[in-house]
Amino acid sequence: GAFYWQELDLRGAIPLGFANAALNLGISGGFIIPWGEGFRRKATPISDRFFIGGNASLACDMSGPIKMPGFHCRGVGPMDVRRAINLIVPDGSEEKMRDALGGDISVTSFADLSFDLPLQYLRDRNIHGHCFICAGNLISLPEIDESMSVKKFWSSTRVSAGAGLVVPTRLFRLEV
């Protein structure tokens, strides 16, 4: 079916003036709206929906509203139990696998503080530290009704935080 798809990705960095520190901020969002009458009740094809999750560099990757460290690929948002496949987990119990359903509206944001480490050896190699926090959520158009509120949207938002080392190389950027 026909639909309108729009994404927005805003990023910025604020130098802090000490220890080569910078505060990196970003917000991404996107929406998919089917064409035609009754668009809020129409289903968007699952292959065209937004999915959030997976690891990427927060400050250096322009991935739009899809990446969120700390969650596996397609790990954020509505899920449904997968039919016919059950896993046996280490404690011997059965766990039903879940499939990501994606969403029509996606929002993610992050704040990342990067800074030099106190050892000259690390600074000479551009190895630096960083701390981050990010949040994201997905919803489908049919979920938006009179009962939708900021509080309801926030209650299903996923958040992750972390800290680590950034090791730039000639071929790639390694974040540990």
Side-chain angles (χ1 to χ4, degrees), residues 11 19 34 36-37 44 54 59 64 79 88 94 98-99 108-110 114-115 117 128 133 136 138 157 171:
R11 306 214 175 201
E37 259 185 72
T44 307
M79 301 275 188
I88 305 298
E94 240 180 61
R98 300 183 72 74
D99 283 327
T108 59
S109 62
F110 78 90
S114 59
F115 51 90
L117 296 167
H128 58 279
I133 185 166
L138 287 170
T157 297
L171 299 176

Side-chain angles (χ1 to χ4, degrees):
F3 55 87
Y4 178 74
W5 174 313
Q6 185 64 55
E7 290 184 43
L8 178 66
D9 194 16
L10 300 171
R11 306 214 175 201
I14 303 166
L16 300 178
F18 62 90
N20 205 22
L23 180 62
N24 303 292
L25 302 168
I27 186 165
S28 298
F31 61 88
I32 302 170
I33 299 176
W35 286 114
E37 259 185 72
F39 68 91
R40 287 180 63 185
R41 291 180 303 280
K42 289 184 180 180
T44 307
I46 196 164
S47 59
D48 295 321
R49 296 179 189 162
F50 290 101
F51 293 90
I52 297 178
N55 294 317
S57 174
L58 292 170
C60 295
D61 186 21
M62 298 296 275
S63 307
I66 61 170
K67 297 292 183 187
M68 203 165 127
F71 291 89
H72 61 83
C73 185
R74 298 177 178 238
V76 176
M79 301 275 188
D80 197 7
V81 175
R82 183 181 292 184
R83 295 184 199 143
I85 297 179
N86 294 333
L87 292 176
I88 305 298
V89 292
D91 68 4
S93 65
E94 240 180 61
E95 181 179 313
K96 294 195 180 276
M97 291 185 66
R98 300 183 72 74
D99 283 327
L101 299 177
D104 301 311
I105 300 170
S106 172
V107 178
T108 59
S109 62
F110 78 90
D112 174 270
L113 175 65
S114 59
F115 51 90
D116 278 345
L117 296 167
L119 298 174
Q120 187 64 41
Y121 176 84
L122 297 174
R123 285 196 305 270
D124 290 345
R125 287 155 183 77
N126 290 325
I127 298 172
H128 58 279
H130 78 134
C131 302
F132 68 88
I133 185 166
C134 54
N137 199 354
L138 287 170
I139 58 173
S140 63
L141 278 176
E143 286 181 87
I144 302 173
D145 57 16
E146 295 79 32
S147 67
M148 177 53 80
S149 66
V150 173
K151 184 177 181 181
K152 186 177 176 182
F153 181 78
W154 181 251
S155 69
S156 62
T157 297
R158 302 292 183 257
V159 178
S160 66
L165 293 176
V166 178
V167 182
T169 71
R170 290 181 192 183
L171 299 176
F172 56 89
R173 173 184 161 112
L174 175 66
E175 294 185 20
V176 181

